[in-house]
Amino acid sequence: MSAETTIAEQNAEQNAEQKKCVIVGSGHSAAQLCVSLTHAGRSGKIPVEITVIGDEPHAPYHRPPLSKTYLNPAAPEPLQFIRPENFYRENSIEMRLGKRVESIDRQAKQVCLGGETIPYDVLALATGSTHRRPPIPGIDHPDVLTLQTAAQADVIRDRIRSDRCVVVIGAGFIGLEFAASLRKLGVRVAVLERMERVLSRVTSLDVSRFFEAMHRHHGVELHTSVNVTAVDEVEGRLVVRTENGSDFTADFVVVGAGAAPNDQLARQAGLDVDNGVRVNEYNQTSDPDIYAMGDCCNQFHPIYSAQLRIESVQNALDQAKTVAASILGKPVKQNTMPWFWSDQYDVKLQIAGVSTGFDQCLIRGSAKLGESFSAWYLKQGRLLAVDAINDARAYAVAGKLIPTGMCPRLELITDTNITPKELLQSAKEESNA
């Protein structure tokens, strides 16, 4: 019996009465699941009673602006809600905000929070990720901050002044986006990265060098191969100590050292967990009545034939649509191409695909400040991903090639006289050869 048949039969049994769907988490995937389920209900499909439980006091909101425009204290930008707050009232969605689920009782099919239990027919885990705090002495000082929620962004925004100096630990996307936002506000910034280059886990050497040059051009004091050993308070300010003996003084510190899946609740419930909640192609966990979606889950990806835990808004939305389809008895396998973006200063980085494991990187264009270019990642001649820096056309081409497994002739990729249309035509010819 196929998975499609099994899910459809499970849902058909409950078609006569309203199903109870409890969503744990209130981020992008939770909002999208609400939208997808209520839209289906208006179309006359299986009605679903929805309860959303989130530990923040806000309805689901867009998180990417938190490290960008939201930080400007001179022009505070209100939270951008994914759907107006009245959307949830009009669709009879119960919002239990500012609440934390303590445990899942799989046998009784209920979640427990603060002495209260809420029953479910289907449970969707949208618990996201948590920012890592390295085991550094002093890392728990109240002036060492992270930037993941609106409340954390509010704390940081209230402390921003042009005469301040901030140390950022970590040069991943969050750290660099935060540094760019502060420099645009005139704040002095030092970024400390323990790896040899910025964005080392996700980009090539050429792309890393471009972003390093860009940040230094904008006045960021950028240090790589620096291992932070302690954070001390000296005369009311923080001093960040490093292994090589250098000290960096700051009014406050922001940690951008990567994220870990928030899978503790699933782990306690006995679900299969390995770098996130393990789910199948329909986003079902090892318990068929429990789904997981977004940053918290780990899924086999058919394009890459590998288990991937993807931290992106796009992935959260796509997986929520997959969960909704399964709950409604019309399962569709999750197989969309991952994509990401990052805005820093006047540069837009768009990433199509996942470059993990690449053995060759070809640069199309000039990887210099002020220029547009793209980095094409391959493994054994197969196109894995493309980083497009102010190059929307390269990104669009990659979006058409990667899901199909097609790749142009390699010598054409680096030839900027070849148009994107010609690259696509070459890829089609290669696949038919």
Side-chain angles (χ1 to χ4, degrees), residues 3 31 34 50 72 75 92 110 121 176 203 215 254 278 291 294 320 325 327 330 348 371 378 390 395 398 401 433:
C34 288
I50 305 170
N72 189 346
S92 301
Q110 61 188 19
D121 293 313
L176 293 184
T203 62
H215 279 274
V254 174
R278 295 288 291 258
Y291 297 82
I327 290 174
K330 296 185 177 293
K348 177 177 283 294
E371 302 285 344
L378 302 103
N390 287 343
Y395 173 76
L401 294 178

Side-chain angles (χ1 to χ4, degrees), residues 227-297:
N227 191 32
V228 175
T229 56
V231 179
D232 296 327
E233 181 177 348
V234 179
E235 298 181 351
R237 302 186 75 198
L238 296 183
V239 177
V240 180
R241 315 285 188 187
T242 65
E243 195 172 56
N244 64 12
S246 300
D247 293 341
F248 298 85
T249 302
D251 293 290
F252 64 92
V253 173
V254 174
V255 178
N262 187 4
D263 56 13
Q264 183 177 4
L265 190 62
R267 191 182 302 274
Q268 291 173 343
L271 300 176
D272 288 348
V273 174
D274 180 13
N275 184 32
V277 187
R278 295 288 291 258
V279 297
N280 64 13
E281 60 267 48
Y282 306 99
N283 280 85
Q284 281 181 309
T285 70
S286 52
D287 183 326
D289 293 320
I290 301 178
Y291 297 82
M293 53 191 180
D295 292 11
C296 72
C297 76

Side-chain angles (χ1 to χ4, degrees), residues 87-355:
F87 162 82
Y88 304 96
R89 293 192 297 271
E90 292 172 356
N91 288 284
S92 301
I93 298 172
E94 183 182 12
M95 302 296 287
R96 305 295 297 273
L97 302 176
K99 304 287 185 180
R100 183 180 294 275
V101 174
E102 298 173 351
S103 62
I104 301 169
D105 186 334
R106 291 168 53 192
Q107 185 171 1
K109 297 187 72 171
Q110 61 188 19
V111 297
C112 308
L113 60 160
E116 178 186 7
T117 59
I118 299 178
Y120 66 83
D121 293 313
V122 289
L123 178 64
L125 301 179
T127 50
S129 58
T130 59
H131 281 195
R132 299 181 189 273
R133 293 182 74 91
I136 299 170
I139 200 74
D140 294 325
H141 190 284
D143 288 331
V144 178
L145 311 171
T146 55
L147 178 56
Q148 186 175 28
T149 68
Q152 292 168 339
D154 287 337
V155 171
I156 293 173
R157 188 174 63 186
D158 289 343
R159 299 182 183 207
I160 291 177
R161 293 199 305 267
S162 60
D163 62 347
R164 294 251 163 140
C165 180
V166 178
V167 169
V168 179
I169 299 175
F173 285 124
I174 291 297
L176 293 184
E177 288 175 1
F178 180 72
S181 296
L182 289 188
R183 285 303 300 143
K184 290 167 69 174
L185 297 172
V187 179
R188 288 174 293 160
V189 182
V191 176
L192 311 181
E193 168 58 47
R194 68 183 183 88
M195 305 297 287
E196 294 182 354
R197 56 187 176 89
V198 306
L199 302 174
S200 60
R201 297 181 183 86
V202 292
T203 62
S204 69
L205 178 60
D206 290 283
V207 176
S208 291
R209 284 175 173 169
F210 172 86
F211 279 93
E212 288 172 2
M214 180 182 69
H215 279 274
R216 291 190 172 110
H217 173 75
H218 285 278
V220 173
E221 187 181 341
L222 178 61
H223 301 269
T224 57
S225 300
V226 172
N227 191 32
V228 175
T229 56
V231 179
D232 296 327
E233 181 177 348
V234 179
E235 298 181 351
R237 302 186 75 198
L238 296 183
V239 177
V240 180
R241 315 285 188 187
T242 65
E243 195 172 56
N244 64 12
S246 300
D247 293 341
F248 298 85
T249 302
D251 293 290
F252 64 92
V253 173
V254 174
V255 178
N262 187 4
D263 56 13
Q264 183 177 4
L265 190 62
R267 191 182 302 274
Q268 291 173 343
L271 300 176
D272 288 348
V273 174
D274 180 13
N275 184 32
V277 187
R278 295 288 291 258
V279 297
N280 64 13
E281 60 267 48
Y282 306 99
N283 280 85
Q284 281 181 309
T285 70
S286 52
D287 183 326
D289 293 320
I290 301 178
Y291 297 82
M293 53 191 180
D295 292 11
C296 72
C297 76
N298 189 320
Q299 186 176 53
F300 181 84
H301 202 288
I303 292 178
Y304 297 97
S305 299
Q307 292 288 144
L308 298 179
R309 188 179 69 82
I310 300 172
E311 299 171 8
S312 76
V313 171
Q314 167 264 338
N315 182 65
L317 301 181
D318 287 341
Q319 291 188 334
K321 294 173 184 178
T322 298
V323 171
S326 293
I327 290 174
L328 295 167
K330 296 185 177 293
V332 178
K333 295 180 180 181
Q334 168 64 22
N335 64 356
T336 54
M337 181 194 72
W339 56 269
F340 316 82
W341 81 92
S342 178
D343 295 323
Q344 300 172 40
Y345 307 108
D346 58 350
V347 169
K348 177 177 283 294
L349 167 64
Q350 295 171 288
I351 301 176
V354 177
S355 62

